[in-house]
Amino acid sequence: MKVEWKAKLFNDVYRKHLTCQTPIQIFYGGSSSGKSYFILGQRTIFDILNGGRNFLICRNVAKTNRISTFNEITKSIKRTDSLRGLFTINKTELTITCSNGYQIFFAGLDDPEKLKSISPAKGVITDIIFEESTEIDYDSFKLIRKRLRGKVEPGIHKRIVFLFNPILKSHWIYREFFRGNWDDDSTLFEDEELLILKTTYRDNLEHLEQEDIDALENEKDEYYRDVYTDGNWGTLGDLVFKRCHWRVEDLSAIENNFNNYLNGLDFGFTNDPSALVRCAIKGANIYVFNSHGGKGWDNKRISKEILPIIGNDYVWCDSAEPKSIHELIGHGVRALAVQKSKDYLLHAIQWMHQYTIIVDKRCQELINELDVWQWQKDKYGESINKPVDKNNHWIDALHYALSSEIRKMNIKASAPVTRKREIHSSTLVGF
Ligand SMILES: Nc1ncnc2c1ncn2[C@@H]1O[C@H](COP(=O)(O)OP(=O)(O)OP(=O)(O)O)[C@@H](O)[C@H]1O
Ligand SMILES: [Mg+2]
């Protein structure tokens, strides 16, 4: 199938990897470096039009595919006149079929039945792409690579592609593919088996808004600057929620067994998601069953999205947005404002530290935040009793949900935060 691709469409740093057939390909680095745009929005479409390849695009949790990977590819198809008529997009099944018969499938590793049932109309799966690969654990990776079975057409080689920000040096990906020994100044490694390309926003300047660039360049937090601005493998400092404070489980069997559910909502819009968390308390455990949200949602959309989850239950919201709360009420949501005192957040953390938080494995966004949420450091590098105010939307929604319970407790807000037993970060969930 002949489609003209102008070379300037591709970002310089990626263009030479457009036809790369190396079996394992790692595109990692800082935020906004164009990794997802190139691999999902461009190369996958380029390849499928050339024929012989079927794609399986994976994230750890199925529902996160729809708003990320599926969106990225469909947006790319829809924005290009010459592509639009060449693809059939099935939004219900999350499949994209090219008029030459080759297909793109999307699946979450939490949906083994769907994974088993994936069978291309023509040929076999030749490519697996793991978006946000640091969410995925080693065993799931080993299991899923078995999907690359069967005979391929001449000239086609099977590939596995990883896309991610290097959140933690103790991650299995670092041990497995970076041989536990990678110079952060290196940007390229290539042999017959493995390609590693590191990029940062500096490789994608022409496609970024000045405010995105400023945000990355003015990042003050050492960890976020290292990982998201400079694309270096991260080393975590002092986590707010250590491994003794929380864990991940499959709660699907018990999620409807509680009498009293607590809901919390953090408002976002363009850059931050609006985030809902639904949980319950039993004994010494806080069970988190559901996290749901998205960017660009107005209050009508928020209501439409959350009402099927919370029904007639109350939802505690950020009191900084009284107008939004008022509008939600107008749309039938029983919304309440959280009363926040000066030390509210510290108090909430101390209160939560008295419990074990058990998070359902589908609440990926909350898991990602709990994995890396840290205390700020002073100029001597010592932790202070103030968490980093970043990537904490779902955590905010969680303590809003719990706020009515937190208020009942009498904890001295100025007391030092409990530092429970330190556990090495390599034991993080999914690592
Ligand atoms: N070749 C391109 N043409 C037009 N826009 C582009 C191109 N490459 C990247 N962009 C834009 O640059 C921005 C950042 O790209 P992208 O989301 O792919 O980065 P990323 O490396 O995946 O970031 P993250 O690590 O945060 O996921 C997006 O708005 C994307 O649409
Ligand atoms: Mg990306």
Side-chain angles (χ1 to χ4, degrees):
M1 198 169 294
K2 198 78 198 129
V3 171
E4 284 292 317
W5 292 82
K6 295 195 181 79
K8 73 172 174 49
L9 281 177
F10 303 104
N11 203 321
D12 284 342
V13 73
Y14 299 111
R15 191 184 303 115
K16 48 187 166 298
H17 304 290
L18 185 62
T19 53
C20 176
Q21 297 228 41
T22 308
I24 303 274
Q25 304 190 8
I26 294 179
F27 294 88
Y28 86 105
S31 169
S32 299
S33 69
K35 304 179 288 297
S36 303
Y37 191 94
F38 173 68
I39 291 296
L40 299 168
Q42 296 186 315
R43 197 174 83 169
T44 300
I45 299 174
F46 175 87
D47 283 333
I48 207 160
L49 288 166
N50 285 328
R53 289 191 177 276
N54 290 297
F55 290 79
L56 172 57
I57 308 211
C58 286
R59 282 199 63 172
N60 201 32
V61 170
K63 71 174 183 180
T64 54
N65 258 328
R66 189 178 292 276
I67 50 166
S68 57
T69 55
F70 185 72
N71 239 347
E72 186 82 55
I73 299 185
T74 47
K75 260 189 340 201
S76 228
I77 293 170
K78 286 179 183 164
R79 81 165 78 91
T80 316
D81 289 341
S82 54
L83 293 181
R84 236 171 283 137
L86 296 176
F87 290 90
T88 309
I89 297 171
N90 185 328
K91 281 191 193 162
T92 322
E93 296 290 323
L94 291 200
T95 51
I96 298 177
T97 306
C98 183
S99 56
N100 62 11
Y102 292 100
Q103 290 177 295
I104 308 171
F105 299 89
F106 299 80
L109 300 184
D110 60 334
D111 192 352
E113 289 312 309
K114 173 158 185 187
L115 280 168
K116 264 188 236 151
S117 71
I118 287 174
S119 167
K122 190 172 168 182
V124 296
I125 298 283
T126 55
D127 288 72
I128 298 178
I129 300 175
F130 293 108
E131 173 65 302
E132 309 299 353
S133 335
T134 48
E135 293 171 357
I136 291 162
D137 65 39
Y138 186 50
D139 290 341
S140 307
F141 160 67
K142 282 198 297 195
L143 215 64
I144 188 99
R145 75 186 299 181
K146 294 194 181 132
R147 303 303 307 166
L148 287 179
R149 285 186 301 235
K151 206 165 175 309
V152 293
E153 292 176 19
I156 300 281
H157 298 275
K158 292 178 184 171
R159 298 180 298 197
I160 297 179
V161 176
F162 294 87
L163 304 173
F164 61 89
N165 306 115
I167 54 163
L168 205 52
K169 214 170 195 165
S170 52
H171 199 281
W172 66 265
I173 292 181
Y174 188 74
R175 285 197 303 274
E176 181 86 2
F177 300 117
F178 293 69
R179 324 269 150 91
N181 172 26
W182 174 261
D183 176 1
D184 269 328
D185 292 334
S186 307
T187 53
L188 183 66
F189 173 88
E190 249 179 319
D191 68 11
E192 284 186 358
E193 292 300 313
L194 177 67
L195 164 79
I196 300 178
L197 179 71
K198 172 185 170 180
T199 52
T200 69
Y201 76 100
R202 298 176 193 97
D203 298 296
N204 188 33
L205 288 175
E206 64 176 305
H207 300 118
L208 296 178
E209 303 286 341
Q210 191 55 45
E211 66 175 303
D212 300 329
I213 298 171
D214 291 346
L216 286 161
E217 292 187 342
N218 298 332
E219 178 57 69
K220 294 279 179 302
D221 181 78
E222 196 185 322
Y223 172 79
Y224 282 93
R225 192 172 171 86
D226 229 17
V227 174
Y228 294 100
T229 307
D230 295 330
N232 296 333
W233 279 95
T235 315
L236 285 170
D238 197 4
L239 290 169
V240 178
F241 290 101
K242 300 181 174 49
R243 295 302 299 143
C244 53
H245 293 123
W246 70 288
R247 64 174 185 267
V248 177
E249 281 184 17
D250 183 350
L251 299 180
S252 49
I254 60 161
E255 66 184 336
N256 297 318
N257 296 357
F258 290 76
N259 296 324
N260 187 22
Y261 291 89
L262 302 164
N263 304 296
L265 178 71
D266 188 40
F267 292 108
F269 194 66
T270 312
N271 296 320
D272 301 329
S274 293
L276 173 85
V277 163
R278 182 166 172 83
C279 60
I281 302 172
K282 189 168 182 201
N285 294 333
I286 297 166
Y287 294 90
V288 183
F289 305 108
N290 213 324
S291 63
H292 184 60
K295 290 182 185 169
W297 291 2
D298 60 15
N299 292 323
K300 190 171 173 200
R301 171 88 189 268
I302 294 176
S303 311
K304 190 167 160 258
E305 295 278 345
I306 71 172
L307 276 171
I309 299 169
I310 67 168
N312 213 24
D313 294 343
Y314 288 108
V315 55
W316 290 92
C317 310
D318 187 349
S319 56
E321 296 211 22
K323 187 164 165 265
S324 293
I325 293 175
H326 187 72
E327 283 182 28
L328 288 186
I329 293 168
H331 292 298
V333 176
R334 299 181 82 190
L336 299 165
V338 177
Q339 299 308 324
K340 287 187 274 185
S341 61
K342 189 171 133 278
D343 288 321
Y344 163 79
L345 182 59
L346 203 53
H347 189 156
I349 293 168
Q350 287 179 296
W351 184 88
M352 287 192 279
H353 275 177
Q354 301 174 119
Y355 290 81
T356 300
I357 306 172
I358 305 175
V359 184
D360 184 84
K361 62 179 190 164
R362 291 160 296 176
C363 300
Q364 187 69 54
E365 299 96 336
L366 178 63
I367 294 169
N368 290 351
E369 290 187 355
L370 289 169
D371 264 346
V372 299
W373 202 41
Q374 303 177 59
W375 297 105
Q376 289 183 30
K377 291 190 180 127
D378 63 15
K379 60 180 177 182
Y380 307 107
E382 294 294 324
S383 301
I384 57 170
N385 270 357
K386 203 169 172 194
V388 175
D389 186 15
K390 203 173 283 294
N391 286 2
N392 48 356
H393 313 294
W394 307 89
I395 291 173
D396 278 349
L398 175 61
H399 61 72
Y400 292 158
L402 298 164
S403 59
S404 58
E405 297 299 313
I406 294 171
R407 257 208 325 266
K408 290 181 199 161
M409 294 289 291
N410 184 21
I411 297 177
K412 203 161 169 280
S414 56
V417 171
T418 45
R419 302 253 193 265
K420 284 200 190 177
R421 184 169 50 101
E422 191 81 49
I423 292 182
H424 193 265
S425 48
S426 64
T427 57
L428 283 177
V429 168
F431 293 2

